[in-house]
Amino acid sequence: MSKDPTIGVLALQGDVREHLVALAESGATARPVRRPEELEGLDGIVLPGGESTTIDKLSRIFGVREPLIELLRSGLPAYGSCAGMILLADRVLDGRPDQQTFGGIDMTVRRNAFGRQVDSFEEDVALEGVEGDVRAVYIRAPWAEEVGEGVEVLARVEHGPAAGKIVAVRQGALLATSFHPEVTGDARVHELFVEGVRERS
Ligand code: GLN
């Protein structure tokens, strides 16, 4: 692809601005997406950190849920951080009773998995596909409790009581992290995503 890929950020709730900045730094043309018609012409989409139950609810109100699911099924590349990871999961533990996800990644995530005492936690992790460690900032973060055969595990918690838990995955064109690279000023995870989008376009 010669021209920069156009990547949307689902802008119903959450840290949309931070993702727009990180995408622009990664060589993408980034724009917020709220309405179904704004999904048109995208080469990829980011589902931001925030509150997955709220984003789920608003996606239905704005009518963006069904067309987005359709696009994900037909191969639109997506990257979800934290709440976005939950939204890309096929199954959720500790969700709200009426909570739904968009799905796409064959995994079971546990919401707020690090426990109530550990609202936020930071560490450096090795992430497959990125050279050097990445600062992982977990804020009421999920982890993947179980992943299907087609899911590549890209990173695991390295320190503390949660060591070994899966915190970054990829399945086909879908990428998800428990942590928030968009808040660290380091765009390498977004670059990894944008690179994948370029390869697929
Ligand atoms: N706990 C939030 C949820 O369930 C995710 C938190 C985050 O995105 N920082 O959606």
Side-chain angles (χ1 to χ4, degrees), residues 10 39 42-47 64-80 84 87-90 101-105 171-175 193:
L10 189 63
L39 289 165
L42 295 182
D43 299 305
I45 190 160
V46 166
L47 310 180
V64 84
R65 176 184 160 78
E66 296 306 326
L68 178 54
I69 290 175
E70 198 69 15
L71 284 169
L72 294 173
R73 286 207 182 120
S74 63
L76 180 74
Y79 165 48
L87 288 161
L88 286 176
D90 283 347
T101 69
F102 305 136
I105 301 182
Q171 183 170 20
L174 306 179
L175 175 70
F193 175 59

Side-chain angles (χ1 to χ4, degrees), residues 49-53 81-83 86 111-112 139-141 180:
E51 178 48 58
S52 58
T53 54
S81 69
C82 204
I86 296 170
R111 279 181 74 222
N112 303 332
I139 306 168
R140 301 184 64 72
H180 293 268

Side-chain angles (χ1 to χ4, degrees), residues 5-9 20 23 28-32 42-46 193-194 197:
T6 300
I7 299 189
V9 179
L20 291 170
L23 287 167
T29 300
R31 60 172 168 85
L42 295 182
D43 299 305
I45 190 160
V46 166
F193 175 59
V194 172
V197 170

Side-chain angles (χ1 to χ4, degrees), residues 8-10 13-26 30 46-51 55 79-86 122 127 134-142 167 175-193:
V9 179
L10 189 63
Q13 189 266 338
D15 64 348
V16 174
R17 214 179 52 88
E18 288 80 352
H19 281 287
L20 291 170
V21 171
L23 287 167
E25 276 174 21
S26 308
V46 166
L47 310 180
E51 178 48 58
I55 297 173
Y79 165 48
S81 69
C82 204
M85 181 191 201
I86 296 170
E122 292 190 24
L127 178 75
V134 168
R135 189 73 182 160
V137 179
Y138 306 98
I139 306 168
R140 301 184 64 72
V167 288
L175 175 70
T177 62
S178 300
F179 48 85
H180 293 268
E182 73 277 12
V183 304
T184 64
D186 174 359
R188 286 176 301 157
V189 177
H190 290 77
E191 280 166 19
L192 177 70
F193 175 59

Side-chain angles (χ1 to χ4, degrees), residues 3 8 16 20 27 33 37-38 58 64 105 128 132 134 136 140 143-145 150 160 164 166 168 189 201:
K3 99 180 183 9
V16 174
L20 291 170
V33 169
E37 55 273 22
E38 290 166 343
L58 292 174
V64 84
I105 301 182
E128 188 80 39
V134 168
R140 301 184 64 72
W143 63 48
E145 192 103 354
I166 298 168
V189 177
S201 302

